[in-house]
Amino acid sequence: EDVEEEEGCHNDEKKKKEVNRITVEKRHKKDTSSKFFGVSRRKYGKFMVRVCQEGSYKWLGTFATEFEAARAYDSYVVKHELDRRLNFPKEYPKHKYTQKF
């Protein structure tokens, strides 16, 4: 399993607030957003997955479809027992976040 780390998913939050607002606006204009947690669309049309864990991003990969990417996200979250929302909670009824509801 190849997982790359990117630094800073929680660093300098105040400084990044304005930049993030602008970035989100640009993302929506370019149609790079996804309806699934942890998934975003790349410029060339594929879907990437990354998860913020322990203060840095874990890169999970790039996938051909949005559904494959969402399933990869869920699989990683469940495997590593992270307290995150799932895209397909009915597929993992014993996951601790799913049981809260």
Side-chain angles (χ1 to χ4, degrees), residues 21 35 54 75 80:
R21 184 186 63 76
K35 61 184 176 182
E54 298 174 5
S75 177
H80 295 276

Side-chain angles (χ1 to χ4, degrees), residues 4-100:
E4 294 179 21
E5 287 189 29
E6 290 180 34
E7 291 298 320
C9 64
H10 293 294
N11 298 337
D12 299 324
E13 292 296 325
K14 290 180 183 178
K15 287 182 181 179
K16 292 181 180 181
K17 196 170 191 177
E18 182 64 20
V19 173
N20 286 341
R21 184 186 63 76
I22 293 168
T23 302
V24 168
E25 288 174 2
K26 288 181 182 177
R27 268 184 38 194
H28 290 287
K29 288 180 185 177
K30 292 181 182 178
D31 194 31
T32 58
S33 62
S34 169
K35 61 184 176 182
F36 294 109
F37 298 110
V39 178
S40 31
R41 188 178 198 132
R42 303 292 289 196
K43 292 178 186 177
Y44 51 87
K46 292 194 177 187
F47 296 88
M48 71 170 211
V49 180
R50 66 183 187 170
V51 178
C52 184
Q53 182 181 4
E54 298 174 5
S56 63
Y57 283 105
K58 308 296 183 195
W59 173 264
L60 304 183
T62 305
F63 300 85
T65 69
E66 196 173 15
F67 291 102
E68 288 175 320
R71 291 200 189 300
Y73 171 88
D74 282 4
S75 177
Y76 184 87
V77 167
V78 170
K79 181 179 178 181
H80 295 276
E81 299 179 354
L82 301 177
D83 193 19
R84 304 279 193 289
R85 282 190 171 178
L86 298 175
N87 293 305
F88 304 102
K90 291 180 182 178
E91 293 181 14
Y92 301 97
K94 294 184 179 182
H95 183 260
K96 60 185 173 183
Y97 195 88
T98 305
Q99 293 175 358
K100 290 181 182 178

